[in-house]
Amino acid sequence: MFGQRDYTSNWSIHRDLWCEDWGSGTGCWRLERVDETTIQPYHGDRKLTNVWTILRPAGDNSSKY
């Protein structure tokens, strides 16, 4: 989800960057873990305003989300 919009993309890791191709464009970001569920993306050295929130951590097979 991006803001309030659902979207899908193909993703990959390239030279330590998270990269996405969502069909109409591509982008790569450096990611920094803030805490257990928060990731701060950067474009170059610029901190992006929206953080990423992990809703279901790896290994969590519950259906509460």
Side-chain angles (χ1 to χ4, degrees):
M1 182 170 262
F2 182 76
Q4 296 299 316
R5 297 178 318 201
D6 286 336
Y7 79 100
T8 59
S9 67
N10 294 311
W11 63 269
S12 61
I13 304 297
H14 182 69
R15 295 185 180 165
D16 295 331
L17 298 175
W18 174 275
C19 298
E20 291 189 25
D21 179 347
W22 51 92
S24 61
T26 61
C28 293
W29 303 271
R30 179 175 59 87
L31 304 178
E32 180 179 289
R33 187 174 191 159
V34 176
D35 59 34
E36 188 174 315
T37 60
T38 308
I39 305 293
Q40 175 65 61
Y42 290 81
H43 189 263
D45 290 332
R46 184 174 55 92
K47 181 190 278 190
L48 300 182
T49 55
N50 295 327
V51 297
W52 297 1
T53 302
I54 300 169
L55 299 178
R56 189 179 322 174
D60 182 350
N61 294 322
S62 68
S63 59
K64 64 183 177 182
Y65 297 101

